[in-house]
Amino acid sequence: MKNFTLKIKQLFAAMLMLACIPASAQFKATVEQYTNSDYSSVAAEFKLTEVATALETDTATLAAALNAWYNYDEESGAEKPADMFFLKSGEELVADYSTNFPGGFWMSGDYRNVGYTAEAVFYEDIWFDSAEDYFSLNFGQMPDTLAKAGGATFTPSFVLAYGDKQATFDITYVVKPLPETPAVELDITKLEIVGNAEVTTEQYPRINYNSSAVKVNIAGAAAKLGIDNELLSVILTKSLYKARVDETYQTKVDSLRLATDNGGWGIEVLDMATGDTLPEVCAAPYSNKCQYYMDTWKFDPATDTLSCNIGQYPYNLEVGDKYYTNVYIVYGNKAFVVKYNVHIVEDPNANNNPELESMTKAGSEEIRIEQVPTTDYSTSAIKLNVDSIANLLGCATGDMTFMAIDNNGELSTSSTANNGGYWMTQGGIICAWGTNAYFFVEPASSNNYSQLNVGQMPGNTAIGEEGHSLMYLVAGNSYYELDITLAIVEPKKSDVEFVSVATRSYVVQALDETYTWSTKTASIPYAQIDELIGTTEPVLYALNIDSIAAKTGDKYTKDYTMGEKPGFWLTEDGRKNAWGSGSPWGITGLNSTSENFVIQCIQMDGFGVAGDSYTGEFYLVNEETGKMITIKLTYQIVNEIIDSEVVGEEWINLPISMDDMMVDFDFAKVATALGLETVEALFDGYYAKGLKADGTYSDGVDMVGSGLSFNANGAYAEYASYGLCITDDYTQFLTYSNDDIDAPFKVEVTMCFQIDNKCYVIHITLLDEASYLAGIESINADSKAGKIYNLQGQEVAAPAKGIYILNGKKFIVK
């Protein structure tokens, strides 16, 4: 099989596809949205299969082209794909994208691409998902702009191009003015109460401002108010009211004030006649007399769920306190009332605080942590031998309690940080997050003390200072003392240059569950890590966002922002970020077994839905040598996790050039691992697939007749530059390049053979000939003169097509 024949076949097939091209296929849609004050969007939805058909191609091919264009990375050095999506401006097609994403435009009212400027009125972005057969144009507003104009109707047109083919999208985007809302009746006695709902939440007494979410179903509330769910979701924060408090007498007043004023704080009211406190908490300015606050209000029109967060003023609530707040959803003179009951219950760990003087000290250890001053809550890990400690305490590891000293000088379990941990003053006394806090110590997970994470209060530490605390693991009448010192030191500069020596690609799937670690993981054996970079203690790094990299000069970072260390909260494109709205996902690297380094993923609350996916690059680094393994990770949120059993996995090198290059490979072992009786059966079906840029595998291909092709980023794509086939006798890989190969050349690709739920994965590094041969163990020409060997060092009597060694030198049989 000659490579030029294969290329001609591929070229002929591509030309045939382009032979009969319609001038334009047209799609139309109308979407509606109320004027608003945020960047929320509505989607004009289409089926990707229908779009692909209109463009005279198949869905997989179109999706691959869209992915290559949409996810193009300038830093890769690969050739930039041609633009595919355009704003139609008269006869001109505009591709100067002005939102944060390819295919997105901020537009003026006459559809000019004006960017995020004073002229901008509305925006458009695209999204697509081949697995969900989904292609959409998403529209949103410049906040408040259209509300002032009383709404508008826009009819922009867009073009999706694939080769010489075009699909036109004519959209009618209707921005409806908010109905003129009636004046709000603020006198409670004059309100018409049209419905009620009630919810009860239980909380422990708190010594910090932490909050917990409270949700209640208010189905039918909008209709009873005379509006619809969509409108209620838009006007919610302007429709929520509480009874106000007379600030002089602290009594309830029969008039309303916005529930979102003053941070949502409330105070208990007094009985005017007796002066006794009443269980109702009404709206009041923030002060140390407040009981709790209610904020982060949201109404989900699809599920009829009203949600908010409730948090306490530290130390003001005690076990047994039972309060309630009536929240009024008001529209004109109608109100739907939701009663929130807040009950304070006993922390099961409370009131179990023995005195150290009366206890037995079972053991102790001194721990010193050094950190540079941080601007976030990144941490360092303390590893504890909990089995040994539990043995000294005479208990099971799960029966220990983590305690510290409070401001009364007593042992306490009044946690002020995550997972039963504590914020501490510089001198080691429990405090709340805030001005007095210096550092925190908290378990990596609840009731598991094998790892404690230590971090700083940003802005409260300085180089040369130390924070110090005595903390305790307690069981019964015994305790184990942890003498912890946090030293703030100057950053260390490293002169070691990081060099990636290998790339590993992984896909992690997870259900649409926020703040839940994925059960599927990316796993790489420590033995393989050691072989590649020379250490069994690699350090996990991520990429800094561009602005930080430009400012500091640091492309890579180990400034962990995830509570579970080592780990990062991440931007959509996989750059290290702090926890918050700009971080829809995160990862952590777990030393969960003695054999593997494991990476798990997590989804931020309020971000991502089934069908969304995120990608990022991470690095396992040997800090002494600078060698690192690049981890290309795709995190997919799915409705259903499809289990695929990996029955075999290996990593190989193959040479590639403009000429056909053939290297022996034992495909029989692949067939056997997949349960096939013969190697021929492995190629009877389209079982071979290539890994795409989005982290999923392509459709199956005929590896002998057509093969797989990959682009410069190592992603599978039809008609890409670098081809991978199998010889027709099923004994060799055949590689070729449609482009010149300039040494040194290296592209890492992944393919698999998949039958049902069984998968055999082969990771292939494509190298220029010189680099490839340099990696082959040398064969002693003196002792083996005149003999011919294959690249595995096996003697060959009659070489067929392929690469061989003779007298220590390479030659090719074609």
Side-chain angles (χ1 to χ4, degrees):
M1 180 180 63
K2 292 294 184 181
N3 181 45
F4 73 84
T5 304
L6 179 63
K7 292 178 187 175
I8 289 173
K9 287 180 179 179
Q10 291 177 338
L11 180 60
F12 178 77
M15 292 176 65
L16 189 62
M17 290 176 62
L18 299 174
C20 299
I21 302 170
S24 176
Q26 195 168 41
F27 294 86
K28 294 183 178 182
T30 298
V31 292
E32 296 184 343
Q33 185 182 42
Y34 281 116
T35 59
N36 58 42
S37 300
D38 57 38
Y39 297 96
S40 59
S41 65
V42 290
E45 301 178 2
F46 307 92
K47 289 187 177 296
L48 191 61
T49 51
E50 294 178 357
V51 176
T53 299
L55 292 172
E56 296 289 333
T57 187
D58 60 86
T59 307
T61 301
L62 179 60
L66 283 168
N67 275 310
W69 160 70
Y70 192 87
N71 298 309
Y72 172 72
D73 182 5
E74 290 185 8
E75 295 182 2
S76 68
E79 182 179 351
K80 186 178 186 300
D83 290 317
M84 295 185 67
F85 192 79
F86 305 87
L87 168 65
K88 198 171 183 181
S89 180
E91 296 302 317
E92 182 184 0
L93 296 183
V94 178
D96 187 14
Y97 308 124
S98 55
T99 68
N100 292 328
F101 307 100
F105 304 93
W106 275 104
M107 288 169 278
S108 62
D110 55 356
Y111 320 133
R112 289 179 294 111
N113 179 30
V114 295
Y116 190 81
T117 65
E119 288 189 87
V121 176
F122 71 107
Y123 72 84
E124 169 277 333
D125 275 317
I126 69 166
W127 189 245
F128 54 91
D129 189 323
S130 58
E132 298 295 327
D133 193 17
Y134 184 81
F135 183 83
S136 71
L137 279 64
N138 306 309
F139 294 87
Q141 311 161 37
M142 180 65 80
D144 297 319
T145 300
L146 293 172
K148 297 175 184 177
T153 297
F154 304 103
T155 56
S157 293
F158 304 89
V159 169
L160 179 66
Y162 177 70
D164 293 333
K165 302 173 289 295
Q166 294 182 357
T168 300
F169 296 83
D170 293 328
I171 307 298
T172 300
Y173 173 40
V174 180
V175 182
K176 303 178 291 185
L178 288 173
E180 185 174 346
T181 55
V184 174
E185 177 56 69
L186 297 178
D187 188 332
I188 296 176
T189 63
K190 296 179 180 180
L191 286 172
E192 177 188 350
I193 306 302
V194 297
N196 299 84
E198 186 170 356
V199 63
T200 298
T201 182
E202 292 185 345
Q203 294 185 347
Y204 303 146
R206 289 180 176 164
I207 59 175
N208 55 35
Y209 293 95
N210 292 348
S211 64
S212 55
V214 180
K215 299 181 179 181
V216 58
N217 187 283
I218 57 168
K224 291 176 181 179
L225 292 169
I227 56 178
D228 58 37
N229 275 13
E230 183 189 358
L231 180 58
L232 178 57
S233 68
V234 174
I235 66 173
L236 177 71
T237 56
K238 298 178 181 178
S239 304
L240 294 171
Y241 290 85
K242 296 179 188 175
R244 69 171 64 242
V245 172
D246 184 303
E247 295 180 25
T248 302
Y249 300 104
Q250 202 174 321
T251 56
K252 177 180 177 180
V253 179
D254 284 334
S255 66
L256 300 174
R257 73 180 298 167
L258 278 170
T260 52
D261 280 354
N262 299 314
W265 284 99
I267 190 172
E268 63 187 0
V269 295
L270 301 177
D271 186 310
M272 191 67 173
T274 65
D276 295 334
T277 57
L278 298 174
E280 184 172 7
V281 171
C282 297
Y286 169 83
S287 74
N288 58 8
K289 295 180 181 180
C290 288
Q291 272 63 51
Y292 52 81
Y293 65 87
M294 307 171 74
D295 68 5
T296 321
W297 292 93
K298 184 179 180 181
F299 176 65
D300 184 345
T303 63
D304 293 304
T305 301
L306 178 66
S307 60
C308 71
N309 291 337
I310 298 180
Q312 305 171 28
Y313 191 96
Y315 300 104
N316 275 11
L317 297 182
E318 300 176 350
V319 172
D321 286 344
K322 293 185 176 181
Y323 290 100
Y324 73 88
T325 296
N326 284 324
V327 175
Y328 298 79
I329 306 174
V330 183
Y331 190 76
N333 69 333
K334 295 180 179 181
F336 188 96
V337 183
V338 184
K339 184 178 182 180
Y340 287 84
N341 300 300
V342 180
H343 295 175
I344 307 304
V345 298
E346 184 174 4
D347 184 336
N349 290 318
N351 302 319
N352 295 319
N353 303 344
E355 297 180 0
L356 281 173
E357 291 78 6
S358 63
M359 300 173 66
T360 301
K361 184 176 182 178
S364 65
E365 61 182 285
E366 294 185 4
I367 302 163
R368 181 180 176 85
I369 297 291
E370 293 187 351
Q371 291 183 349
V372 300
T374 63
T375 57
D376 56 25
Y377 301 99
S378 56
T379 64
S380 301
I382 295 174
K383 301 288 187 178
L384 299 178
N385 188 334
V386 290
D387 292 329
S388 175
I389 295 172
N391 185 56
L392 291 171
L393 293 174
C395 68
T397 57
D399 293 335
M400 296 184 290
T401 303
F402 187 45
M403 307 182 78
I405 302 297
D406 64 18
N407 56 5
N408 295 316
E410 299 177 350
L411 275 175
S412 176
T413 56
S414 296
S415 169
T416 58
N418 297 315
N419 303 323
Y422 304 93
W423 277 102
M424 317 293 292
T425 65
Q426 189 172 358
I429 303 300
I430 297 174
C431 65
W433 174 94
T435 305
N436 295 326
Y438 190 83
F439 69 113
F440 63 87
V441 182
E442 60 188 24
S445 58
S446 296
N447 301 316
N448 182 350
Y449 308 117
S450 60
Q451 179 175 318
L452 303 178
N453 293 328
V454 181
Q456 306 167 37
M457 181 68 191
N460 283 8
T461 61
I463 294 173
E465 294 180 347
E466 291 186 353
H468 180 259
S469 179
L470 295 176
M471 309 186 81
Y472 306 89
L473 290 172
V474 178
N477 197 47
S478 299
Y479 67 88
Y480 186 90
E481 183 180 82
L482 303 172
D483 188 340
I484 300 173
T485 298
L486 172 65
I488 311 301
V489 299
E490 291 186 6
K492 294 180 180 179
K493 296 294 184 181
S494 175
D495 295 329
V496 176
E497 181 180 356
F498 286 3
V499 177
S500 180
V501 298
T503 300
R504 298 291 180 260
S505 299
Y506 299 95
V507 177
V508 173
Q509 290 188 334
L511 299 176
D512 187 6
E513 298 172 342
T514 58
Y515 290 140
T516 301
W517 287 108
S518 61
T519 55
K520 297 296 181 182
T521 62
S523 179
I524 180 169
Y526 278 110
Q528 190 178 120
I529 295 172
D530 190 26
E531 180 182 352
L532 290 169
I533 63 174
T535 182
T536 56
E537 296 181 351
V539 180
L540 181 66
Y541 277 76
L543 290 172
N544 270 317
I545 59 176
D546 292 339
S547 58
I548 292 179
K551 181 178 179 181
T552 64
D554 295 326
K555 178 180 178 181
Y556 308 105
T557 177
K558 61 174 180 178
D559 188 6
Y560 304 128
T561 54
M562 178 65 68
E564 288 75 6
K565 311 301 180 190
F568 306 92
W569 282 108
L570 301 162
T571 62
E572 284 192 1
D573 59 350
R575 305 301 181 97
K576 169 251 175 180
N577 205 20
W579 178 91
S581 60
S583 304
W585 68 301
I587 69 162
T588 188
L590 303 176
N591 298 302
S592 57
T593 72
S594 59
E595 294 86 14
N596 301 310
F597 186 93
V598 176
I599 294 178
Q600 285 180 290
C601 299
I602 198 169
Q603 178 185 353
M604 172 72 77
D605 185 30
F607 290 84
V609 295
D612 287 351
S613 66
Y614 305 100
T615 59
E617 279 195 5
F618 309 96
Y619 309 89
L620 295 179
V621 179
N622 181 336
E623 293 186 312
E624 293 184 1
T625 65
K627 290 184 177 181
M628 65 183 185
I629 302 169
T630 300
I631 305 294
K632 291 186 176 181
L633 186 66
T634 299
Y635 172 45
Q636 298 175 335
I637 304 172
V638 297
N639 286 318
E640 179 185 5
I641 295 176
I642 301 175
D643 289 320
S644 179
E645 179 187 1
V646 177
V647 296
E649 186 171 20
E650 58 183 299
W651 289 260
I652 65 172
N653 296 339
L654 292 177
I656 189 168
S657 75
M658 291 284 286
D659 295 321
D660 291 353
M661 307 289 287
M662 287 160 281
V663 176
D664 292 345
F665 187 84
D666 181 11
F667 293 102
K669 65 182 175 184
V670 181
T672 300
L674 291 170
L676 301 176
E677 294 184 359
T678 65
V679 70
E680 289 80 7
L682 184 63
F683 303 101
D684 283 346
Y686 290 176
Y687 302 137
K689 301 179 177 182
L691 189 67
K692 301 186 294 184
D694 64 359
T696 61
Y697 281 103
S698 67
D699 294 334
V701 302
D702 175 6
M703 279 300 288
V704 177
S706 58
L708 298 164
S709 59
F710 299 88
N711 61 27
N713 293 323
Y716 168 83
E718 285 194 303
Y719 313 118
S721 297
Y722 310 115
L724 179 68
C725 303
I726 291 171
T727 56
D728 49 16
D729 60 359
Y730 313 135
T731 63
Q732 294 177 311
F733 270 118
L734 180 150
T735 63
Y736 65 89
S737 173
N738 289 320
D739 298 332
D740 289 332
I741 299 296
D742 295 324
F745 176 86
K746 179 180 180 182
V747 171
E748 293 172 312
V749 306
T750 297
M751 67 164 293
C752 75
F753 290 92
Q754 184 171 0
I755 299 179
D756 297 326
N757 68 331
K758 292 184 177 180
C759 186
Y760 195 105
V761 180
I762 306 175
H763 305 277
I764 301 169
T765 301
L766 299 173
L767 300 165
D768 63 277
E769 290 183 68
S771 298
Y772 174 73
L773 292 170
I776 300 171
E777 290 185 351
S778 61
I779 297 174
N780 190 322
D782 294 333
S783 62
K784 301 180 181 181
K787 296 182 179 180
I788 299 174
Y789 295 85
N790 64 21
L791 298 184
Q792 282 71 43
Q794 301 165 323
E795 185 177 352
V796 178
K801 293 181 293 185
I803 304 174
Y804 298 91
I805 302 294
L806 174 64
N807 295 333
K809 296 182 179 181
K810 179 265 294 184
F811 73 96
I812 299 174
V813 177
K814 295 186 177 181

